[in-house]
Amino acid sequence: PEQSVESVRSVFERIAALASRDSMNLVVDLSEASYPTAKVRECLREQFSRLCALQRIVVCTGSNESLSMAAKFVLGGRAESLS
């Protein structure tokens, strides 16, 4: 799937609506995602920083090592990776 700033914002609006607890964990499956553009990476950083209740993130990237590195960069090292 092709990411866009609009699609990222839409997904995070839904996550925020579901995140009504004091803490939450998030599993993200990026195994079929393409490498995000600079604008999308910046939007992702902004959106993740707004999720105050987020305690843990698990990112599934399949065998895509460059996507794994991008996820760690975007999440500031807060993510655990699964391949």
Side-chain angles (χ1 to χ4, degrees):
E2 194 70 30
Q3 307 103 345
S4 68
V5 170
E6 294 78 21
S7 67
V8 169
R9 288 184 179 144
S10 176
V11 167
F12 275 86
E13 285 176 12
R14 182 71 179 135
I15 291 170
L18 295 171
S20 61
R21 300 179 181 204
D22 292 335
S23 67
M24 67 179 216
N25 297 309
L26 184 63
V27 176
V28 180
D29 182 0
L30 299 176
S31 59
E32 295 182 20
S34 59
Y35 194 81
T37 65
K39 287 182 180 184
V40 169
R41 289 192 306 271
E42 181 59 32
C43 183
L44 285 165
R45 274 192 290 276
E46 290 172 9
Q47 297 298 319
F48 273 110
S49 70
R50 293 183 179 143
L51 291 177
C52 299
L54 188 59
Q55 298 234 320
R56 183 183 209 172
I57 309 165
V58 177
V59 179
C60 304
T61 59
S63 60
N64 191 334
E65 288 296 321
S66 62
L67 196 54
S68 294
M69 289 189 307
K72 288 179 182 179
F73 176 73
V74 165
L75 298 170
R78 298 186 322 170
E80 296 180 28
S81 294
L82 293 176
S83 39

XYZ file of all heavy atoms in Angstrom:
630
model
N 0.820 -1.209 0.000
C 0.000 0.000 0.000
C 0.859 1.265 0.000
O 1.898 1.302 0.631
C -0.805 -0.099 1.289
C -0.677 -1.521 1.736
C 0.554 -2.069 1.112
N 0.433 2.234 -0.719
C 1.138 3.519 -0.808
C 0.668 4.426 0.320
O -0.521 4.661 0.493
C 0.834 4.159 -2.159
C 1.747 5.304 -2.510
C 3.156 4.847 -2.816
O 3.346 3.729 -3.304
O 4.076 5.630 -2.558
N 1.605 4.938 1.105
C 1.248 5.831 2.197
C 1.202 7.272 1.718
O 1.901 7.655 0.801
C 2.272 5.754 3.345
C 2.548 4.397 3.860
C 3.861 3.844 3.370
O 4.453 4.345 2.433
N 4.315 2.791 4.000
N 0.372 8.063 2.401
C 0.328 9.501 2.171
C 0.130 10.163 3.525
O -0.259 9.508 4.501
C -0.831 9.871 1.240
O -2.070 9.634 1.881
N 0.392 11.443 3.591
C 0.179 12.182 4.837
C -1.288 12.069 5.252
O -1.601 11.863 6.431
C 0.620 13.655 4.677
C 0.198 14.491 5.862
C 2.132 13.729 4.462
N -2.188 12.140 4.284
C -3.624 12.056 4.583
C -4.000 10.683 5.139
O -4.781 10.592 6.086
C -4.447 12.357 3.327
C -4.318 13.780 2.829
C -3.013 14.047 2.055
O -2.379 13.089 1.557
O -2.619 15.215 1.979
N -3.444 9.614 4.553
C -3.777 8.279 5.048
C -3.221 8.061 6.453
O -3.871 7.437 7.297
C -3.285 7.197 4.091
O -1.880 7.145 4.040
N -2.028 8.585 6.729
C -1.443 8.476 8.069
C -2.317 9.203 9.083
O -2.642 8.663 10.145
C 0.002 9.024 8.096
C 0.514 9.174 9.518
C 0.922 8.130 7.276
N -2.726 10.415 8.761
C -3.586 11.168 9.679
C -4.908 10.449 9.919
O -5.414 10.419 11.044
C -3.816 12.575 9.149
C -2.587 13.433 9.266
C -2.841 14.843 8.826
N -1.635 15.641 8.980
C -1.283 16.598 8.159
N -2.049 16.918 7.130
N -0.173 17.273 8.362
N -5.472 9.875 8.875
C -6.730 9.150 9.001
C -6.592 7.946 9.935
O -7.439 7.720 10.809
C -7.198 8.692 7.617
O -8.347 7.917 7.707
N -5.529 7.176 9.766
C -5.295 6.015 10.626
C -5.106 6.458 12.078
O -5.663 5.853 12.999
C -4.078 5.206 10.124
C -3.628 4.193 11.161
C -4.392 4.527 8.815
N -4.351 7.521 12.295
C -4.101 7.966 13.663
C -5.338 8.581 14.315
O -5.488 8.510 15.530
C -2.906 8.912 13.723
C -1.611 8.176 13.826
C -0.962 7.728 12.692
C -1.051 7.886 15.054
C 0.215 7.019 12.776
C 0.123 7.179 15.163
C 0.763 6.742 14.022
N -6.234 9.145 13.527
C -7.512 9.602 14.086
C -8.283 8.415 14.638
O -8.866 8.489 15.722
C -8.346 10.317 13.021
C -7.875 11.711 12.692
C -8.676 12.337 11.560
O -9.738 11.792 11.182
O -8.225 13.375 11.044
N -8.266 7.319 13.909
C -8.964 6.105 14.357
C -8.290 5.516 15.589
O -8.960 5.088 16.530
C -8.994 5.081 13.219
C -9.726 3.841 13.545
C -11.222 4.095 13.630
N -11.884 2.837 13.919
C -12.830 2.687 14.821
N -13.263 3.717 15.490
N -13.371 1.521 15.026
N -6.969 5.486 15.604
C -6.239 4.982 16.774
C -6.575 5.831 17.999
O -6.837 5.301 19.081
C -4.717 4.961 16.520
C -4.372 3.900 15.481
C -3.954 4.707 17.814
C -2.944 3.957 14.989
N -6.571 7.141 17.841
C -6.891 8.039 18.960
C -8.305 7.795 19.471
O -8.554 7.841 20.684
C -6.708 9.489 18.536
N -9.232 7.531 18.579
C -10.609 7.258 18.991
C -10.704 5.958 19.779
O -11.527 5.840 20.694
C -11.521 7.195 17.764
N -9.866 4.999 19.451
C -9.879 3.714 20.154
C -9.061 3.735 21.440
O -9.254 2.898 22.311
C -9.337 2.615 19.236
C -10.168 2.303 18.005
C -9.400 1.368 17.080
C -11.507 1.701 18.403
N -8.146 4.677 21.558
C -7.212 4.721 22.687
C -7.794 5.522 23.841
O -7.333 6.607 24.156
C -5.877 5.311 22.240
N -8.785 4.969 24.477
C -9.430 5.680 25.578
C -8.885 5.268 26.938
O -9.407 5.675 27.963
C -10.944 5.436 25.528
O -11.196 4.053 25.669
N -7.844 4.496 26.951
C -7.275 4.014 28.216
C -6.058 4.836 28.605
O -5.547 5.629 27.836
C -6.882 2.554 28.071
C -8.073 1.689 27.731
C -7.660 0.282 27.562
N -8.845 -0.508 27.221
C -8.946 -1.772 27.428
N -7.954 -2.433 27.961
N -10.037 -2.421 27.092
N -5.573 4.585 29.831
C -4.392 5.284 30.316
C -3.121 4.811 29.623
O -2.151 5.545 29.531
C -4.235 5.091 31.820
C -5.338 5.787 32.601
O -5.902 6.764 32.070
O -5.633 5.352 33.713
N -3.123 3.562 29.161
C -1.957 3.049 28.450
C -2.421 2.086 27.375
O -3.498 1.504 27.457
C -0.993 2.347 29.404
O -1.586 1.167 29.911
N -1.593 1.949 26.349
C -1.935 1.033 25.262
C -0.675 0.516 24.600
O 0.397 1.113 24.700
C -2.820 1.707 24.229
C -2.157 2.802 23.449
S -3.310 3.481 22.249
C -2.201 3.818 20.906
N -0.820 -0.617 23.944
C 0.222 -1.222 23.140
C -0.275 -1.230 21.705
O -1.479 -1.313 21.458
C 0.513 -2.650 23.591
C 1.030 -2.678 25.011
O 1.960 -1.968 25.359
N 0.411 -3.496 25.844
N 0.650 -1.151 20.757
C 0.272 -1.074 19.356
C 1.122 -2.044 18.545
O 2.343 -2.097 18.717
C 0.487 0.362 18.853
C 0.075 0.698 17.437
C -1.432 0.535 17.257
C 0.474 2.132 17.111
N 0.472 -2.823 17.688
C 1.158 -3.710 16.758
C 0.919 -3.150 15.362
O -0.224 -2.903 14.972
C 0.629 -5.157 16.850
C 1.303 -6.034 15.809
C 0.838 -5.713 18.252
N 2.007 -2.930 14.615
C 1.922 -2.350 13.272
C 2.501 -3.351 12.279
O 3.656 -3.756 12.406
C 2.708 -1.016 13.199
C 2.610 -0.422 11.817
C 2.225 -0.045 14.259
N 1.703 -3.756 11.295
C 2.163 -4.683 10.265
C 2.544 -3.887 9.019
O 1.686 -3.376 8.312
C 1.071 -5.692 9.940
C 1.515 -6.716 8.896
O 2.671 -6.647 8.416
O 0.696 -7.584 8.555
N 3.835 -3.793 8.774
C 4.353 -3.076 7.600
C 4.943 -4.039 6.579
O 5.694 -3.618 5.694
C 5.427 -2.076 8.031
C 4.995 -0.973 8.984
C 6.192 -0.124 9.387
C 3.926 -0.112 8.350
N 4.604 -5.308 6.698
C 5.238 -6.322 5.847
C 4.969 -6.109 4.355
O 5.751 -6.544 3.526
C 4.802 -7.721 6.272
O 3.400 -7.856 6.195
N 3.891 -5.429 3.999
C 3.604 -5.165 2.591
C 3.676 -3.678 2.251
O 3.257 -3.265 1.170
C 2.225 -5.723 2.237
C 2.156 -7.229 2.348
C 0.819 -7.787 1.947
O 0.059 -7.095 1.243
O 0.535 -8.932 2.324
N 4.215 -2.880 3.149
C 4.286 -1.432 2.931
C 5.525 -1.067 2.120
O 6.540 -1.752 2.151
C 4.326 -0.702 4.265
N 5.422 0.046 1.414
C 6.582 0.575 0.699
C 7.319 1.542 1.628
O 6.804 1.951 2.658
C 6.135 1.296 -0.571
O 5.254 2.351 -0.250
N 8.538 1.892 1.234
C 9.343 2.818 2.039
C 8.663 4.187 2.028
O 8.322 4.708 0.970
C 10.755 2.906 1.452
C 11.747 3.541 2.371
C 12.334 2.816 3.390
C 12.095 4.878 2.222
C 13.253 3.392 4.247
C 13.018 5.464 3.074
C 13.590 4.718 4.081
O 14.494 5.294 4.927
N 8.451 4.809 3.206
C 7.733 6.090 3.261
C 8.581 7.258 2.764
O 9.805 7.263 2.904
C 7.408 6.251 4.745
C 8.460 5.457 5.443
C 8.802 4.311 4.536
N 7.909 8.258 2.219
C 8.594 9.485 1.794
C 8.993 10.286 3.026
O 8.536 10.009 4.147
C 7.669 10.349 0.926
O 6.569 10.792 1.743
C 7.157 9.600 -0.290
N 9.805 11.303 2.834
C 10.226 12.155 3.945
C 9.024 12.829 4.611
O 8.958 12.929 5.840
C 11.216 13.207 3.455
N 8.060 13.268 3.828
C 6.867 13.915 4.387
C 6.050 12.937 5.222
O 5.545 13.290 6.290
C 5.994 14.505 3.279
C 6.581 15.740 2.657
C 5.649 16.307 1.611
C 6.269 17.554 0.990
N 5.369 18.183 0.034
N 5.932 11.714 4.747
C 5.179 10.700 5.496
C 5.919 10.346 6.780
O 5.309 10.221 7.846
C 4.917 9.453 4.625
C 4.386 8.296 5.456
C 3.951 9.784 3.499
N 7.248 10.211 6.731
C 8.023 9.911 7.947
C 7.847 11.014 8.975
O 7.666 10.741 10.167
C 9.502 9.714 7.607
C 9.792 8.432 6.865
C 11.280 8.120 6.789
N 12.095 9.188 6.244
C 12.377 9.360 4.965
N 11.886 8.513 4.064
N 13.155 10.338 4.565
N 7.883 12.262 8.549
C 7.694 13.387 9.479
C 6.298 13.347 10.080
O 6.125 13.563 11.284
C 7.926 14.717 8.761
C 7.769 15.921 9.654
C 8.720 15.935 10.840
O 9.850 15.432 10.729
O 8.320 16.467 11.908
N 5.301 13.077 9.266
C 3.923 12.976 9.764
C 3.803 11.837 10.777
O 3.153 11.990 11.817
C 2.963 12.779 8.596
S 1.235 12.719 9.092
N 4.431 10.700 10.490
C 4.406 9.577 11.422
C 5.033 9.951 12.760
O 4.491 9.640 13.825
C 5.135 8.373 10.825
C 4.390 7.629 9.730
C 5.338 6.710 8.964
C 3.231 6.847 10.319
N 6.185 10.632 12.723
C 6.830 11.073 13.974
C 5.899 11.970 14.774
O 5.745 11.802 15.988
C 8.133 11.814 13.673
C 9.330 10.917 13.509
C 10.629 11.705 13.496
N 10.783 12.497 12.276
C 11.256 12.036 11.129
N 11.609 10.781 11.034
N 11.368 12.808 10.087
N 5.274 12.920 14.111
C 4.343 13.829 14.786
C 3.172 13.073 15.403
O 2.805 13.313 16.554
C 3.807 14.874 13.802
C 4.811 15.883 13.348
C 4.270 16.764 12.229
O 3.053 16.703 11.929
O 5.063 17.510 11.638
N 2.592 12.174 14.633
C 1.421 11.441 15.118
C 1.772 10.517 16.284
O 1.029 10.441 17.261
C 0.778 10.643 13.974
C 0.237 11.501 12.856
C -0.863 12.441 13.303
O -1.733 12.090 14.087
N -0.817 13.664 12.815
N 2.898 9.811 16.198
C 3.297 8.936 17.300
C 3.606 9.742 18.562
O 3.322 9.287 19.662
C 4.498 8.067 16.915
C 4.120 6.785 16.236
C 4.397 6.599 14.893
C 3.469 5.784 16.934
C 4.045 5.420 14.253
C 3.104 4.599 16.303
C 3.400 4.414 14.961
N 4.160 10.934 18.413
C 4.480 11.743 19.594
C 3.227 12.204 20.320
O 3.264 12.503 21.511
C 5.338 12.953 19.209
O 4.573 13.888 18.472
N 2.098 12.240 19.641
C 0.830 12.652 20.242
C 0.114 11.528 20.984
O -0.843 11.782 21.703
C -0.101 13.221 19.177
C 0.412 14.508 18.608
C -0.551 15.086 17.613
N -0.027 16.330 17.114
C -0.147 16.735 15.875
N -0.814 16.005 15.012
N 0.375 17.874 15.480
N 0.562 10.311 20.791
C -0.067 9.180 21.468
C 0.535 9.022 22.860
O 1.406 8.194 23.096
C 0.116 7.892 20.658
C -0.639 7.800 19.347
C -0.286 6.500 18.631
C -2.136 7.882 19.566
N 0.074 9.804 23.786
C 0.628 9.825 25.144
C 0.467 8.493 25.865
O 1.304 8.124 26.685
C -0.032 10.924 25.963
S 0.237 12.560 25.281
N -0.603 7.782 25.594
C -0.871 6.525 26.287
C -0.055 5.358 25.733
O -0.064 4.272 26.286
C -2.360 6.197 26.205
N 0.659 5.595 24.650
C 1.394 4.516 23.991
C 2.586 4.083 24.827
O 3.473 4.871 25.126
C 1.860 4.974 22.611
C 2.472 3.932 21.719
C 1.477 2.798 21.459
C 2.903 4.549 20.413
N 2.578 2.814 25.240
C 3.655 2.280 26.055
C 4.620 1.416 25.251
O 5.800 1.410 25.513
C 3.064 1.442 27.181
C 2.195 2.239 28.103
C 2.618 2.091 29.519
O 2.974 1.012 29.930
N 2.605 3.163 30.257
N 4.070 0.689 24.295
C 4.895 -0.261 23.554
C 4.414 -0.350 22.111
O 3.220 -0.352 21.849
C 4.775 -1.621 24.213
C 5.617 -2.680 23.619
C 5.333 -3.969 24.338
N 6.501 -4.811 24.326
C 6.603 -5.915 25.005
N 5.626 -6.291 25.786
N 7.678 -6.639 24.927
N 5.369 -0.446 21.187
C 5.060 -0.588 19.769
C 5.827 -1.797 19.244
O 7.032 -1.908 19.450
C 5.496 0.655 18.959
C 4.962 1.929 19.577
C 5.059 0.518 17.507
C 5.642 3.174 19.050
N 5.125 -2.685 18.571
C 5.762 -3.810 17.899
C 5.527 -3.620 16.405
O 4.387 -3.438 15.972
C 5.188 -5.161 18.376
C 5.808 -6.308 17.600
C 5.415 -5.336 19.871
N 6.596 -3.618 15.639
C 6.519 -3.378 14.191
C 6.925 -4.651 13.455
O 8.012 -5.173 13.678
C 7.440 -2.207 13.778
C 7.368 -1.978 12.289
C 7.077 -0.950 14.539
N 6.038 -5.138 12.602
C 6.318 -6.314 11.768
C 6.664 -5.818 10.363
O 5.843 -5.152 9.729
C 5.094 -7.214 11.701
S 4.486 -7.729 13.303
N 7.865 -6.111 9.902
C 8.298 -5.617 8.595
C 8.655 -6.727 7.622
O 9.135 -6.448 6.525
C 9.511 -4.681 8.739
O 10.564 -5.400 9.374
C 9.166 -3.441 9.534
N 8.457 -7.951 7.996
C 8.865 -9.042 7.116
C 10.375 -9.049 6.982
O 11.093 -8.810 7.947
N 10.864 -9.285 5.791
C 12.317 -9.345 5.584
C 12.894 -8.032 5.070
O 14.031 -7.997 4.626
C 12.643 -10.480 4.605
O 12.002 -10.227 3.375
N 12.140 -6.955 5.137
C 12.581 -5.664 4.603
C 13.415 -4.909 5.643
O 12.886 -4.201 6.485
C 11.363 -4.843 4.183
C 11.731 -3.623 3.384
O 12.824 -3.096 3.509
N 10.808 -3.168 2.562
N 14.722 -5.073 5.582
C 15.628 -4.456 6.558
C 15.603 -2.921 6.508
O 15.685 -2.263 7.529
C 17.063 -4.953 6.357
C 17.255 -6.386 6.798
C 17.043 -6.566 8.298
O 17.457 -5.707 9.091
O 16.439 -7.593 8.662
N 15.499 -2.347 5.308
C 15.487 -0.882 5.213
C 14.223 -0.311 5.842
O 14.251 0.745 6.478
C 15.641 -0.406 3.771
O 14.564 -0.856 2.979
N 13.110 -1.020 5.715
C 11.871 -0.580 6.351
C 11.973 -0.713 7.871
O 11.473 0.136 8.615
C 10.686 -1.369 5.806
C 9.308 -0.809 6.072
C 9.182 0.642 5.602
C 8.258 -1.663 5.391
N 12.652 -1.743 8.347
C 12.884 -1.910 9.785
C 13.684 -0.738 10.340
O 13.361 -0.194 11.398
C 13.635 -3.214 10.066
O 12.861 -4.316 9.735
N 14.725 -0.338 9.614
C 15.541 0.801 10.056
C 14.732 2.086 10.031
O 14.841 2.911 10.934
C 16.800 0.928 9.195
C 17.792 -0.173 9.454
S 19.411 0.052 8.674
C 18.981 0.324 6.981
N 13.906 2.275 9.009
C 13.076 3.474 8.934
C 12.098 3.526 10.098
O 11.885 4.584 10.695
C 12.319 3.511 7.603
N 11.518 2.375 10.442
C 10.578 2.331 11.572
C 11.273 2.710 12.870
O 10.734 3.484 13.671
C 9.956 0.942 11.683
N 12.467 2.207 13.090
C 13.212 2.559 14.308
C 13.548 4.046 14.327
O 13.484 4.693 15.362
C 14.476 1.711 14.410
C 14.177 0.279 14.746
C 15.431 -0.553 14.808
C 15.070 -1.992 15.094
N 16.219 -2.868 15.144
N 13.901 4.596 13.169
C 14.212 6.022 13.084
C 12.972 6.867 13.378
O 13.017 7.805 14.171
C 14.764 6.350 11.696
C 15.025 7.806 11.487
C 16.098 8.428 12.090
C 14.184 8.565 10.692
C 16.337 9.781 11.901
C 14.406 9.914 10.500
C 15.493 10.518 11.107
N 11.858 6.527 12.755
C 10.617 7.286 12.937
C 10.146 7.213 14.382
O 9.674 8.198 14.949
C 9.509 6.767 11.980
C 8.142 7.270 12.384
C 9.821 7.188 10.547
N 10.303 6.056 15.003
C 9.805 5.863 16.364
C 10.836 6.182 17.428
O 10.578 5.996 18.609
C 9.304 4.427 16.524
C 8.133 4.081 15.610
C 7.858 2.596 15.639
C 6.908 4.870 15.996
N 11.973 6.666 17.036
C 12.989 7.074 18.002
C 13.488 5.946 18.884
O 13.787 6.140 20.038
N 13.531 4.748 18.336
C 14.028 3.608 19.099
C 13.000 3.002 20.043
O 13.328 2.118 20.814
N 11.757 3.467 20.014
C 10.729 2.939 20.925
C 10.109 1.648 20.428
O 9.304 1.049 21.124
C 9.610 3.967 21.118
C 10.060 5.236 21.749
C 8.932 6.178 22.065
N 7.876 6.182 21.057
C 6.711 6.787 21.224
N 6.442 7.423 22.335
N 5.805 6.770 20.266
N 10.461 1.206 19.248
C 9.783 0.055 18.650
C 10.593 -1.227 18.823
O 11.807 -1.209 18.844
C 9.548 0.292 17.174
N 9.870 -2.313 18.932
C 10.455 -3.643 18.864
C 10.137 -4.171 17.481
O 9.073 -3.931 16.954
C 9.830 -4.554 19.914
C 10.104 -4.114 21.333
C 9.459 -5.047 22.334
O 9.286 -6.235 22.021
O 9.139 -4.576 23.415
N 11.077 -4.896 16.895
C 10.870 -5.408 15.532
C 10.586 -6.893 15.544
O 11.147 -7.637 16.329
C 12.118 -5.164 14.680
O 12.308 -3.798 14.492
N 9.718 -7.289 14.642
C 9.466 -8.695 14.354
C 9.591 -8.854 12.862
O 9.121 -8.026 12.103
C 8.045 -9.097 14.766
C 7.719 -9.093 16.249
C 6.246 -9.410 16.441
C 8.568 -10.107 16.992
N 10.248 -9.913 12.422
C 10.315 -10.125 10.970
C 9.417 -11.250 10.561
O 8.749 -11.844 11.295
C 11.747 -10.398 10.528
O 12.438 -11.196 11.427
